[in-house]
């Protein structure tokens, strides 16, 4: 950037995944908020990077970053889901721009998401170490990455995913001994769902009854399947009761200790008090701000809901409703995008 030029900030954005892809939804949401801050979008299409020759890959990358100039700031949302070789090539290309600053917004760390994936972690650490600043889901994530060799000094913590949606304000979450579980329960194995045997607390799942023959005779209700966040949030709001964030998968349970869950933001955007494990990254926020119940097991969750009084629930729902304004207006994302640039240039 030459003296007198206006600072240009760019942000990458993912395309080419399915409409229901949480990864794509999250990147689009961040980019939409970034546009409101006058950041420029750099679109990245998901494809098979192995189909490119080295020359083709260079041409593709030059097209993506054509609007980038010396001295600009580029926020790279990671992963791009194009394989790390694409990300290494993209960052290598950006490194050729004199005075350019790079912010890596880490949504997920692929080696931590899958069983036996840690073998590639060193390669990701080497990639992350090329950033001037890291935006990470939690302080726990930063601490873990540092223990594995992360050396980037400047960091900003995300904490919670926003979900900018409009809700029906005429509907208030009602006190019900009901636990909502917004997840794919038809093609993904969810043992606690299929083994539900509680007669006093109802489980409501985001699925269609016709697809869940295993639920016959169980105290389970069906909200339907939603590919649209607006419809999902308002269905949860009408359902009332609590929103459950839970994972049976052992390695994903470990990952949730340091990751930011998109589903947590979804429940809170609906104004529902939540039920979470005491090990997730934001469990203390849930407890301290009275946004729900922190438990060690699904059995404990059922017991706590059974014991809940209407006055207790109403206070939780009121507190969750106030907190939900931050999420529906995108304030967590606005804050980290501004804080990252401020910290990069000022601190």
């Amino acid at each position: 950037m030459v003296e007198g030029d206006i600072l240009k900030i760019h942000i990458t954005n993912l395309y080419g995944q399915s409409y229901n892809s949480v990864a794509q939804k999250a990147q689009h949401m961040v980019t939409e908020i970034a546009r409101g801050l006058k950041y420029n979008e750099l679109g990245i299409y998901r494809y098979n990077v192995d189909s490119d020759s080295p020359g083709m890959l260079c041409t593709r990358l030059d097209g993506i970053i054509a609007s980038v100039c010396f001295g600009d700031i580029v926020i790279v949302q990671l992963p791009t889901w194009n394989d790390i070789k694409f990300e290494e090539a993209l960052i290598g290309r950006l490194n050729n721009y004199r005075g350019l600053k790079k912010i890596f917004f880490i949504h997920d760390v692929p080696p931590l998401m899958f069983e036996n994936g840690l073998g590639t972690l060193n390669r990701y650490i080497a990639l992350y170490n090329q950033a001037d600043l890291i935006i990470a889901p939690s302080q726990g994530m930063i601490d873990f990455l540092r223990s594995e060799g992360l050396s980037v000094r400047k960091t900003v913590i995300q904490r919670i995913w926003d979900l900018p949606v409009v809700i029906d304000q005429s509907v208030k979450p009602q006190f019900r001994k009901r636990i909502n579980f917004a997840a794919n329960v038809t093609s993904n194995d969810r043992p606690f769902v299929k083994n539900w045997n509680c007669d006093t607390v109802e489980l409501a799942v985001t699925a269609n009854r016709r697809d869940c023959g295993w639920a016959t005779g169980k105290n389970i209700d069906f909200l339907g399947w939603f590919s649209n966040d607006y419809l999902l949030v308002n269905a949860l709001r009408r359902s009332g009761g609590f929103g459950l964030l839970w994972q049976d998968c052992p390695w994903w349970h470990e990952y949730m200790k340091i990751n930011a869950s998109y589903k947590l933001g979804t429940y809170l955007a609906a104004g529902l008090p939540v039920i979470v494990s005491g090990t997730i990254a934001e469990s203390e926020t849930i407890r301290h701000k009275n946004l729900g119940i922190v438990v060690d097991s699904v059995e404990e969750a059922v017991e706590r809901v059974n014991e809940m009084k209407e006055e207790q629930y109403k206070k939780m729902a009121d507190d969750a409703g106030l907190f939900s304004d931050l999420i529906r207006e995108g304030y967590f994302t606005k804050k980290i995008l501004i804080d990252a640039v401020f910290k990069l240039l000022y601190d």
Side-chain angles (χ1 to χ4, degrees):
M1 184 172 65
V2 178
E3 184 177 353
D5 287 351
I6 297 174
L7 174 66
K8 285 176 32 181
I9 304 172
H10 311 264
I11 185 166
T12 65
N13 193 17
L14 175 64
Y15 290 89
Q17 287 199 324
S18 71
Y19 180 74
N20 290 326
S21 164
V22 171
Q24 182 166 290
K25 285 180 179 180
Q27 291 206 19
H28 282 214
M29 181 274 293
V30 172
T31 304
E32 186 62 29
I33 291 173
R35 286 195 195 100
L37 300 173
K38 309 301 182 184
Y39 296 5
N40 174 58
E41 178 183 344
L42 305 176
I44 294 178
Y45 193 83
R46 189 186 182 195
Y47 76 110
N48 179 10
V49 67
D50 290 329
S51 66
D52 277 350
S53 67
M56 291 170 62
L57 180 57
C58 288
T59 299
R60 185 187 299 272
L61 294 174
D62 286 342
I64 291 169
I65 63 176
S67 59
V68 176
C69 298
F70 293 153
D72 286 355
I73 295 173
V74 177
I75 302 172
V76 183
Q77 298 194 78
L78 292 172
T80 65
W81 298 109
N82 279 338
D83 192 273
I84 191 171
K85 68 177 70 173
F86 176 91
E87 292 155 6
E88 290 168 336
L90 172 62
I91 301 311
R93 214 70 176 163
L94 291 173
N95 288 341
N96 293 326
Y97 285 74
R98 186 180 67 251
L100 181 139
K101 299 290 187 183
K102 301 181 298 297
I103 296 172
F104 292 175
F105 186 168
I106 300 174
H107 292 212
D108 281 303
V109 180
L112 304 183
M113 299 173 70
F114 307 104
E115 191 174 20
N116 302 320
L118 286 176
T120 60
L121 182 59
N122 286 344
R123 197 169 170 184
Y124 279 86
I125 295 294
L127 177 73
Y128 299 156
N129 277 339
Q130 298 180 65
D132 297 287
L133 182 144
I134 296 281
I135 300 172
S138 69
Q139 185 59 49
M141 176 70 82
I142 288 293
D143 294 342
F144 173 80
L145 294 177
R146 289 206 189 287
S147 74
E148 297 294 325
L150 183 71
S151 59
V152 179
R153 183 176 62 86
K154 296 184 178 182
T155 61
V156 169
I157 305 304
Q158 176 191 11
R159 303 185 67 178
I160 290 177
W161 279 107
D162 288 316
L163 194 64
V165 293
V166 177
I167 59 168
D168 185 348
Q169 296 283 2
S170 68
V171 175
K172 302 296 181 185
Q174 296 299 305
F175 172 60
R176 303 176 69 179
K177 294 191 176 179
R178 164 182 280 219
I179 296 175
N180 297 276
F181 185 60
N184 185 342
V185 299
T186 55
S187 59
N188 292 344
D189 188 30
R190 311 282 184 175
F192 82 87
V193 173
K194 293 190 176 179
N195 295 329
W196 194 261
N197 62 359
C198 180
D199 294 329
T200 56
V201 175
E202 183 180 40
L203 180 67
V205 296
T206 48
N208 295 307
R209 186 180 298 275
R210 65 177 180 272
D211 299 324
C212 303
W214 45 264
T216 302
K218 296 181 181 293
N219 191 18
I220 297 177
D221 191 22
F222 298 88
L223 301 176
W225 180 252
F226 304 94
S227 58
N228 179 288
D229 284 334
Y230 164 79
L231 295 176
L232 172 59
V233 166
N234 280 282
L236 290 169
R237 190 171 177 84
R238 289 192 299 272
S239 182
F242 296 83
L244 175 65
L245 181 67
W246 204 261
Q247 182 56 252
D248 289 314
C249 174
W251 68 86
W252 196 266
H253 181 79
E254 287 298 307
Y255 186 52
M256 288 175 67
K257 293 178 181 179
I258 56 176
N259 190 44
S261 170
Y262 191 81
K263 201 63 68 181
L264 177 61
T266 302
Y267 290 136
L268 291 173
L272 285 189
V274 294
I275 300 171
V276 302
S277 166
T279 63
I280 73 161
E282 286 301 308
S283 60
E284 279 307 308
T285 298
I286 303 304
R287 184 183 285 113
H288 177 67
K289 295 192 174 295
N290 193 42
L291 303 178
I293 303 170
V294 180
V295 298
D296 293 324
S297 66
V298 173
E299 291 74 20
E300 183 185 354
V302 169
E303 183 180 340
R304 295 279 297 277
V305 171
N306 253 329
E307 295 171 350
M308 180 71 58
K309 305 300 182 186
E310 185 167 1
E311 312 82 66
Q312 291 175 281
Y313 179 86
K314 185 177 185 306
K315 181 65 168 68
M316 277 186 186
D318 288 345
D319 290 341
L322 289 173
F323 196 85
S324 71
D325 288 336
L326 293 172
I327 292 172
R328 292 197 307 273
E329 294 298 327
Y331 278 109
F332 281 94
T333 304
K334 291 173 187 174
K335 185 177 188 305
I336 59 175
L337 291 175
I338 293 171
D339 284 354
V341 173
F342 194 89
K343 195 166 193 175
L344 183 67
L345 299 180
Y346 181 81
D347 288 354

